[in-house]
């Protein structure tokens, strides 16, 4: 016999579980709802502090220095209570909105905090001070109601799988209904929970005030300790009711159906009506009961051969009904998890394992004996009516895993169940069979990165896990209490560099599927950007966006569009540009990639178009009368805020013209843009990429040309208003109170001075707005003619799909259509479009123009000058912010905390607070104002121009 085999030297010895894991499993067994880490749909990661009295908020963020992704530093909230009446904080649960967080303490007292514009700046929406501090009121199960779809019949969508067809992929999709009940107000949810003493509580925001109120009812009459509830789970059902499963200390598993009646009267009004106050009530009905430990309720503990560790639950989950991969619709399923741990560290058997039990909630019809049909022959007899079906719990086959399960979560519309274990490993299992899936790479049928060779590094054990909203990364609480973010990584070599490489194409398909599904679910996809950033190749962003646009059926062709409202509302273009911008960002003082630079400028251009449009077209409350509404353009502070954007746009137009006029001088000798046969489009694209020249794409791509045309029209309107204001007499100074009544034919001096800035900028500009608008109009006409003259013609609705495919390539920094050769020649030839622009400007002004405001100069001298200036651009006001001094950037020191608390430096001077975008690292000042119009305009910046969320920094800090 082999000696190694005899003594076990050749076998790997399992590490005994740590005392921290023992403590965590004991906590899970004592009762449900003890999750100390949660990841919101917005991207905020909340954890309970070590002292169990406050929260730490983190999020993924792109570092402004080099563009790498990581967790932000924790932002600690104030203590929730000084007296700890309800005991330590115990559980966290985010709402599907991503902005509301339920914080539950050990006594079941519930605080709801809300996010508005910053991921790390919460506000208390509901305080727990009026909840009783009673251990019997402890929360053991909770659930946020699903958000009502804006169209009642609109289902939830899941993109996938990507099926290999020839050299590309075909993208399938699935859908399932969104299950109620819902809060009557769109975009609102309600928090439902079950307590130890059998009370069902519903906390809901009132429609009229927005404040949280409560309604509750008794689920179970608790008369002894055997009736106390240890774990509970809640899920929605297809009948717009809630199914509630709860386990008692007597090993019973009970199921209840709950109906929430919101107490609103139905109205016959077709239009929007005034919100009715909610007066809800709850009706419950017991539907089934069994034992979660024994096969039949009559069995006793002595009949079981299980040790004491296996007669305690650690998790209870309720999976709602959904369609599985085969199209079958399995009923709602209760999942109970029991974990085996060695009784003591000296026990010989140190093995651990988890048993997962399941019960399906099934119905069976009841039949009535025919004799009962003849009991009554009266006219109003109900003897012919059949009784409703009875509900019972059908036990399914259990399975065992040789690990300790920490969490489970349904993903992909509930078709796949994600399991996370204490050894840092994860599993994906089929909902119906619970068989493990995605274990072998399959590049012909792609669902997820985990299925094509990506995995999490299993480095250290952990105690708690939270999965990201996109299902592509996770955060852990380790044994030492530290929070660790883990992303999916490819450990099998290089993924390739083009769509001809099978692994590269599969990665692109998986990212496109995950991103599109995240967008459809309205959740953050920042971890996808972080993963893509690590594996990005020269054409990675282009390939990803082409596939993503196929899935989302993105409309980007505006070559025949006259009105730009549809373009401005096209959020798919913003999504694609955001990905381009993110993957092209390498740090504030490092050159951006060609598509990254293009997207960065277009996103800012789009944001200014939106701001100016909303300021010009909408009215906001203001004035002496509370019901009176005024235009934001009547507030001098709004005009002052927009002045920087006006200058930025005028500089962009001048820089764009300067780049195009000098571009022919940068061409190689064998390339001539004045003749159709003087260049080839691939050679031109290569030169544009080599010189990082994006101006030609800005003009020829129809969405970006549309943004340029739209802002020209809005600036012309703003210029007209400014000149009209200059010709209007000034009223008396009124103490800077815009609400003071003025004569009809006069304006305040402050408003006049504000418009003077606009008029000065438009008068002294290098390039007149009318000139660039004429250039854009001529280009649009040429492009329409080029599409029409193509063989086959690309004009009209019949060629819309082909034209859209060409526009997609240009928008993502790719090839120009062959039909555009004549357009390019018309642009650069003698006496062409650019020559007419040259005749309308002063060459000296253009030569000596300073384009520092745009931050587009990438030569070493310009970058060094910008870096040494110690200034950062405010992306909202388009003005420079002075960087904080180094000595103020000590957030972890006591002095730094003091500075952050009062917002002043050692000299007593107020220090500006910054917001920094977690996704693109852009900065804006955290402006606090009481002026309604300006406050309203700032509210439009709840998210960055790239659609990312903000981190609010302490005074003196520059990085989250």
């Amino acid at each position: 016999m082999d000696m190694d085999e005899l003594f076990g030297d050749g076998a790997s010895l399992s590490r005994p579980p740590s005392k921290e894991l023992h403590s965590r499993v004991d906590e899970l067994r004592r009762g449900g709802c003890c999750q100390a880490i949660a990841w919101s749909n917005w991207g905020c990661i909340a954890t309970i502090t070590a002292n169990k009295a406050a929260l730490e908020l983190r999020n993924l963020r792109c570092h402004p220095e080099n563009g790498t992704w990581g967790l932000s530093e924790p932002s600690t909230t104030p203590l929730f209570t000084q007296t700890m009446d309800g005991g330590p904080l115990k559980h966290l649960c985010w709402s599907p909105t991503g902005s509301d967080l339920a914080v539950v303490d050990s006594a079941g007292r519930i605080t709801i905090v809300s996010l508005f514009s910053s991921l790390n700046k919460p506000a208390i929406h509901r305080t727990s001070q009026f909840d009783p501090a009673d251990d019997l009121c402890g929360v053991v199960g909770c659930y946020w109601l699903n958000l009502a779809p804006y169209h009642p019949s609109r289902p939830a969508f899941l993109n996938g799988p990507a099926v290999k067809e020839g050299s590309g992929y075909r993208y399938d999709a699935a859908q399932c209904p969104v299950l109620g009940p819902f809060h009557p107000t769109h975009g609102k949810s309600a928090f439902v929970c079950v307590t130890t003493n059998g009370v069902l509580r519903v906390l809901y925001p009132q429609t009229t005030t927005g404040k949280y109120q409560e309604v509750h009812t008794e689920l179970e009459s608790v008369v002894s300790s055997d009736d106390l509830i240890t774990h509970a789970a809640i899920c929605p059902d297809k009948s717009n009711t809630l199914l509630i499963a709860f386990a008692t200390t007597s090993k019973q598993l009970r199921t209840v159906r709950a109906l929430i009646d919101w107490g609103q009267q139905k109205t016959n009004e077709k239009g929007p009506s005034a919100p009715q106050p909610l007066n809800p009530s709850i009706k419950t009905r017991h539907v089934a009961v069994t034992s979660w430990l024994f096969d039949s309720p009559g069995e006793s503990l002595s009949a079981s051969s299980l040790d004491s560790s296996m007669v305690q639950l650690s998790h209870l989950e309720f999976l709602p009904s959904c369609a599985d991969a085969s199209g079958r619709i399995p009923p709602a399923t209760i999942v109970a998890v029991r974990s085996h741990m060695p009784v003591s560290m000296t026990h010989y058997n140190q093995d651990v394992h988890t048993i997962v039990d399941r019960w399906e909630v099934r119905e069976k019809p009841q039949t009535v004996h025919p004799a009962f049909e003849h009991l009554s022959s009266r006219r109003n007899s109900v003897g012919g009516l059949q009784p409703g079906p009875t509900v019972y719990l059908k036990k399914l086959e259990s399975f065992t895993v040789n690990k300790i399960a920490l969490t489970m979560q349904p993903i992909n519309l509930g078709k796949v169940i994600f399991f996370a274990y204490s050894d840092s490993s994860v599993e994906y299992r089929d909902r119906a069979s619970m068989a493990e899936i995605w274990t072998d790479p399959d590049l012909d049928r792609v669902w997820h990165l985990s299925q094509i060779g990506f995995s999490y590094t299993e480095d250290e054990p952990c105690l708690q896990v939270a999965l990201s909203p996109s299902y592509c990364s996770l955060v852990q609480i380790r044994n030492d209490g530290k929070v660790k973010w883990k992303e999916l990584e490819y450990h099998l070599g290089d993924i390739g560099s083009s769509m001809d490489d099978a692994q590269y194409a599969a990665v692109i398909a998986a990212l496109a599927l995950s991103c599109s599904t995240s967008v459809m679910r309205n959740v953050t996809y920042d971890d996808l950007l972080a993963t893509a950033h690590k594996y990005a190749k020269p054409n990675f962003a282009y390939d990803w966006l082409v596939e993503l646009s196929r899935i989302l059926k993105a409309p980007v062709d505006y070559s025949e569009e006259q009105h730009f409202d549809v373009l401005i509302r096209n959020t798919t273009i913003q999504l694609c540009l955001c990905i381009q911008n993110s993957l092209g960002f390498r740090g504030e003082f490092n050159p951006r990639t060609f598509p990254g630079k293009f997207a960065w400028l277009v996103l800012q251009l789009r944001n200014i178009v939106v701001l100016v449009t909303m300021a010009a077209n909408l009215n906001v409350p203001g004035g002496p009368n509370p019901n009176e509404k005024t235009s934001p353009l009547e507030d001098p502070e709004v005009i002052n805020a927009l002045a920087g954007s006006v200058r930025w746009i005028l500089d962009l137009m001048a820089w764009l013209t300067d780049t195009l006029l000098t571009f022919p001088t940068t061409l190689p000798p064998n390339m001539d843009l004045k003749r159709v046969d003087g260049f080839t489009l691939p050679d031109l694209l290569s030169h544009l990429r080599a010189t990082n020249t994006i101006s030609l794409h800005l003009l020829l791509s129809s969405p970006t040309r549309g943004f340029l045309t739209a802002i020209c029209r809005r600036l012309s309107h703003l210029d007209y208003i400014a000149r009209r204001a200059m010709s209007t007499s000034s009223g008396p100074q009124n103490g800077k109170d815009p609400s003071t009544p003025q004569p009809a034919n006069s304006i305040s001096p402050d408003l006049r001075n504000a418009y003077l800035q606009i008029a000065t900028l438009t008068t002294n500009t290098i390039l007149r707005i009318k000139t660039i608008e004429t250039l854009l109009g001529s280009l649009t006409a040429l492009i329409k003619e080029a599409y029409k003259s193509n063989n086959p013609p690309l004009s009209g609705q019949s060629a819309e799909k082909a034209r859209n495919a060409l526009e997609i390539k240009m928008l993502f920094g790719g090839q120009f259509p062959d039909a555009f050769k004549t357009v390019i020649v018309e642009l650069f030839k003698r006496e062409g479009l650019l020559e007419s622009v040259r005749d309308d400007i002063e060459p000296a002004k253009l030569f000596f123009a300073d384009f520092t405001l745009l931050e587009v100069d990438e030569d070493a001298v310009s970058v060094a000058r910008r870096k040494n200036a110690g200034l950062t651009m405010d992306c909202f006001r388009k003005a420079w912010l002075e960087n904080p001094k180094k000595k103020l950037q000590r957030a972890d020191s006591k002095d730094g905390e003091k500075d952050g608390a009062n917002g002043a430096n050692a000299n007593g001077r107020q220090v500006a607070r910054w917001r920094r975008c977690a996704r693109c690292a852009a900065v804006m000042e955290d402006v606090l104002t009481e002026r309604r119009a300006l406050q309203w305009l700032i509210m439009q910046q709840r998210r960055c121009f790239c659609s990312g969320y903000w981190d609010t920094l302490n005074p003196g800090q520059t990085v989250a």
Side-chain angles (χ1 to χ4, degrees):
M1 178 181 289
D2 188 350
M3 298 300 290
D4 287 343
E5 183 179 346
L6 176 64
F7 291 100
D9 294 338
S12 59
L13 297 177
S14 60
R15 181 186 301 177
S18 64
K19 62 179 182 180
E20 291 85 4
L21 183 57
H22 272 278
S23 176
R24 174 58 182 162
V25 172
D26 288 342
E27 183 183 25
L28 290 169
R29 289 169 174 168
R30 281 194 296 269
C33 287
C34 52
Q35 181 76 8
I37 185 168
W39 199 331
S40 86
N41 286 343
W42 280 17
C44 178
I45 302 168
T47 55
I48 298 175
T49 56
N51 62 5
K52 308 288 187 181
L55 299 182
E56 289 181 342
L57 302 180
R58 297 173 175 84
N59 58 271
L60 291 183
R61 59 97 181 97
C62 176
H63 200 287
E65 184 178 346
N66 50 24
T68 58
W69 285 81
L71 278 183
S72 65
E73 293 298 318
S75 297
T76 306
T77 65
L79 298 180
F80 278 65
T81 174
Q82 299 292 337
T83 58
M84 301 283 284
D85 292 338
L89 299 182
K90 180 185 175 187
H91 184 69
L92 304 176
C93 185
W94 284 102
S95 74
T97 64
S99 58
D100 296 323
L101 173 66
V103 183
V104 185
D105 63 21
S106 297
R109 308 199 315 165
I110 301 169
T111 302
I112 296 180
V113 298
S114 299
L115 304 176
F116 178 69
S117 60
S118 295
L119 294 177
N120 61 345
K121 192 179 178 182
I124 293 181
H125 201 165
R126 179 194 188 270
T127 180
S128 64
Q129 61 181 351
F130 300 112
D131 291 342
D134 187 346
D135 288 343
L136 290 179
C137 295
V139 174
V140 294
C142 64
Y143 167 76
W144 282 93
L145 297 185
N146 285 331
L147 298 180
Y150 279 95
H151 299 286
S153 59
R154 180 181 174 87
F157 290 93
L158 170 67
N159 291 306
V163 182
K164 192 74 173 179
E165 281 190 351
S167 59
Y169 282 97
R170 182 192 78 242
Y171 295 100
D172 295 338
Q175 62 185 43
C176 74
V178 182
L179 300 180
F182 311 108
H183 190 281
T185 303
H186 281 291
K188 297 291 185 181
S189 181
F191 184 68
V192 184
C193 62
V194 177
T195 64
T196 301
N197 58 357
V199 174
L200 178 66
R201 302 173 62 188
V202 178
L203 278 62
Y204 61 94
Q206 184 58 264
T207 54
T208 53
T209 63
K211 294 182 179 180
Y212 273 85
Q213 298 180 1
E214 179 178 347
V215 62
H216 57 267
T217 190
E218 191 177 76
L219 281 181
E220 184 79 355
S221 179
V222 175
V223 295
S224 69
S225 59
D226 287 344
D227 298 325
L228 294 177
I229 299 175
T230 61
H231 298 76
I234 308 169
C235 80
D237 193 41
K238 52 191 174 184
S239 59
N240 277 341
T241 58
L242 293 175
L243 286 175
I244 303 165
F246 57 89
T248 66
T249 53
S250 59
K251 311 298 184 291
Q252 284 191 336
L253 179 63
R254 294 181 172 271
T255 309
V256 174
R257 187 182 300 277
L259 170 68
I260 302 177
D261 182 357
W262 295 104
Q264 286 189 311
Q265 296 180 352
K266 294 184 178 180
T267 61
N268 296 324
E269 299 179 15
K270 295 183 179 180
S273 57
Q276 298 183 39
L278 301 180
N279 185 25
S281 59
I282 308 173
K283 301 175 182 178
T284 61
R285 179 166 60 92
H286 288 256
V287 293
V289 62
T290 187
S291 170
W292 58 259
L293 179 60
F294 310 113
D295 291 335
S296 62
E299 288 189 61
S300 62
L301 186 60
S302 60
S304 174
S305 60
L306 298 174
D307 60 48
S308 59
S309 69
M310 296 310 293
V311 297
Q312 300 180 73
L313 281 180
S314 57
H315 294 86
L316 188 68
E317 299 288 343
F318 215 146
L319 306 178
S321 61
C322 73
D324 61 13
S326 62
R328 188 178 70 91
I329 302 180
T333 305
I334 302 171
V335 181
V337 177
R338 294 175 287 150
S339 297
H340 170 270
M341 297 279 285
V343 178
S344 67
M345 299 300 292
T346 59
H347 199 279
Y348 286 110
N349 181 14
Q350 294 294 326
D351 289 338
V352 298
H353 62 267
T354 295
I355 296 178
V356 180
D357 302 310
R358 296 176 295 147
W359 296 263
E360 284 186 348
V361 181
R362 293 193 174 185
E363 295 181 350
K364 60 180 178 181
Q366 296 186 79
T367 58
V368 179
H369 193 279
F372 286 97
E373 297 287 339
H374 305 289
L375 286 179
S376 175
S377 59
R378 290 177 298 177
R379 181 176 181 182
N380 295 327
S381 171
V382 294
L385 296 178
Q386 293 291 331
T390 60
V391 179
Y392 68 101
L393 299 180
K394 177 178 175 54
K395 182 76 162 61
L396 303 180
E397 184 181 358
S398 303
F399 67 92
T400 302
V401 183
N402 295 322
K403 305 173 185 179
I404 298 297
L406 296 177
T407 189
M408 61 170 289
Q409 179 177 336
I411 65 175
N412 288 9
L413 298 183
K415 299 179 181 182
V416 177
I417 309 300
F418 167 85
F419 283 89
Y421 299 100
S422 62
D423 62 352
S424 283
S425 64
V426 302
E427 286 179 352
Y428 302 89
R429 292 182 175 270
D430 179 73
R431 154 71 185 267
S433 66
M434 281 295 172
E436 191 174 357
I437 59 176
W438 299 352
T439 54
D440 298 321
D442 184 1
L443 304 185
D444 294 329
R445 191 177 177 84
V446 176
W447 273 104
H448 190 268
L449 288 173
S450 296
Q451 181 221 345
I452 56 173
F454 282 73
S455 60
Y456 298 107
T457 304
E458 300 176 19
D459 46 5
E460 295 181 27
C462 59
L463 302 175
Q464 299 195 47
V465 176
L467 187 63
S468 77
S470 71
Y471 312 141
C472 290
S473 69
L474 54 82
V475 283
Q476 301 172 329
I477 297 181
R478 299 293 183 92
N479 285 356
D480 57 6
K482 294 182 178 179
V483 177
K484 171 79 172 180
W485 171 56
K486 299 183 74 171
E487 54 186 321
L488 287 167
E489 297 179 298
Y490 189 68
H491 302 285
L492 305 178
D494 188 64
I495 65 170
S497 58
S498 73
M499 294 297 284
D500 294 331
D501 299 319
Q503 183 64 42
Y504 177 95
V507 170
I508 292 293
L511 286 173
L513 287 174
S514 295
C515 185
S516 60
T517 300
S518 297
V519 171
M520 298 297 292
R521 294 175 53 234
N522 199 26
V523 304
T524 182
Y525 50 88
D526 284 354
D527 55 337
L528 293 175
L529 297 174
T531 299
H533 195 273
K534 293 181 62 174
Y535 299 96
K537 304 298 175 71
N539 285 324
F540 194 93
Y542 176 84
D543 293 331
W544 183 8
L545 292 175
V546 167
E547 299 302 299
L548 181 62
S549 62
R550 286 181 55 204
I551 297 174
L552 297 178
K553 298 178 174 59
V556 302
D557 173 37
Y558 293 90
S559 57
E560 299 187 359
E561 186 70 40
Q562 297 298 323
H563 303 285
F564 302 102
D565 293 343
V566 178
L567 170 62
I568 294 172
R569 292 189 177 96
N570 189 334
T571 55
T572 307
I573 289 180
Q574 184 188 26
L575 160 71
C576 295
L577 292 173
C578 165
I579 294 174
Q580 273 184 267
N581 177 50
S582 178
L583 295 187
F585 180 69
R586 301 166 178 170
E588 289 179 312
F589 302 108
N590 294 319
R592 297 174 184 266
T593 63
F594 177 84
K597 182 179 179 180
F598 172 86
W600 176 63
L601 285 176
V602 176
L603 283 170
Q604 295 178 83
L605 170 62
R606 177 188 180 276
N607 188 57
I608 294 175
V609 172
V610 171
L611 281 179
V612 177
T613 302
M614 298 187 76
N617 296 337
L618 298 182
N619 293 323
V620 297
N625 186 352
N627 297 324
E628 183 182 350
K629 292 189 175 182
T630 61
S631 169
L633 296 183
E634 296 174 9
D635 190 322
E637 289 297 325
V638 172
I639 304 304
N640 289 331
L642 292 177
S645 297
V646 172
R647 182 187 171 187
W648 190 91
I649 288 294
L650 295 174
D651 281 2
L652 176 67
M653 302 295 188
W655 172 81
L656 183 63
T657 304
D658 182 44
T659 307
L660 290 171
L661 289 174
T662 58
F663 179 64
T665 63
T666 68
L667 296 173
N670 62 343
M671 191 178 295
D672 184 7
L673 301 184
K674 298 174 183 177
R675 297 180 295 108
V676 174
D677 58 351
F679 66 99
T680 64
L681 292 177
D683 289 343
L684 175 60
L685 179 62
S686 298
H687 182 74
L688 290 170
R689 286 180 168 272
T691 57
N692 226 12
T693 303
I694 63 169
S695 301
L696 201 54
H697 279 79
L698 280 173
L699 285 185
L700 298 184
S701 173
S702 66
T704 54
R705 190 172 64 256
F707 285 131
L708 289 169
T709 305
I711 196 59
C712 284
R713 294 178 182 177
R714 282 148 181 78
L715 288 190
S716 296
H717 176 66
L718 199 59
D719 180 56
Y720 167 75
I721 295 176
R723 295 184 185 279
R724 190 179 64 179
M726 300 304 298
S727 63
T728 305
S729 60
S730 298
Q733 184 72 28
N734 54 43
K736 299 183 179 181
D737 184 4
S739 63
T740 301
Q742 296 279 358
N745 60 345
S746 66
I747 63 173
S748 69
D750 288 342
L751 185 58
R752 182 184 179 90
N753 291 334
Y755 275 119
L756 179 61
Q757 295 184 67
I758 303 294
T760 302
L761 288 170
T762 55
T763 301
N764 299 330
T765 181
I766 298 173
L767 185 68
R768 293 187 305 121
I769 299 173
K770 187 64 177 177
T771 302
I772 194 68
E773 196 171 0
T774 302
L775 171 64
L776 295 171
S778 301
L779 263 179
T780 300
L782 284 173
I783 289 173
K784 284 184 180 179
E785 184 60 31
Y787 276 138
K788 185 177 180 180
S789 303
N790 189 71
N791 189 15
L794 293 171
S795 59
Q797 292 186 352
S798 59
E800 187 175 349
K801 186 175 181 180
R803 207 166 52 241
N804 195 69
L806 298 174
E807 291 286 350
I808 282 176
K809 293 181 179 180
M810 280 190 289
L811 182 64
F812 302 153
Q815 186 78 25
F816 296 118
D818 293 336
F820 277 27
K821 252 196 162 186
T822 56
V823 177
I824 295 172
V825 171
E826 288 291 332
L827 188 64
F828 288 99
K829 73 177 185 179
R830 295 183 185 276
E831 300 181 358
L833 297 180
L834 285 177
E835 286 298 324
S836 61
V837 174
R838 189 194 302 271
D839 295 339
D840 200 46
I841 59 178
E842 295 182 26
K845 275 189 176 182
L846 193 59
F847 182 80
F848 291 106
D850 181 11
F851 299 123
T852 307
L853 192 70
L854 301 176
E855 301 178 280
V856 290
D857 294 326
E858 297 167 334
D859 59 280
V861 175
S862 300
V863 171
R865 187 188 306 117
R866 195 167 73 240
K867 189 174 184 178
N868 295 332
L871 301 173
T872 298
M873 175 59 62
D874 184 324
C875 67
F876 170 59
R877 290 182 176 269
K878 292 301 178 187
W880 294 107
L881 297 174
E882 184 179 352
N883 292 348
K885 304 300 180 184
K886 292 289 185 181
K887 64 180 180 180
L888 291 176
Q889 300 185 39
R890 296 179 297 167
D892 55 353
S893 67
K894 294 182 179 180
D895 293 338
E897 291 174 359
K898 185 176 179 180
D899 291 342
N902 59 25
N905 60 13
N907 299 325
R909 183 171 60 88
Q910 284 296 116
V911 180
R913 287 171 68 104
W914 284 10
R915 295 183 193 173
R916 189 180 283 278
C917 176
R919 183 175 293 171
C920 74
V923 167
M924 71 171 284
E925 187 176 354
D926 191 30
V927 181
L928 300 177
T929 179
E930 296 181 358
R931 303 185 74 96
R932 286 192 175 185
L934 182 60
Q935 187 180 40
W936 173 85
L937 196 65
I938 294 171
M939 283 174 57
Q940 311 313 308
Q941 300 294 298
R942 287 191 299 268
R943 296 172 71 171
C944 177
F945 58 77
C946 75
S947 77
Y949 290 96
W950 299 104
D951 282 315
T952 299
L953 309 180
N954 287 327
Q957 290 184 330
T958 59
V959 181

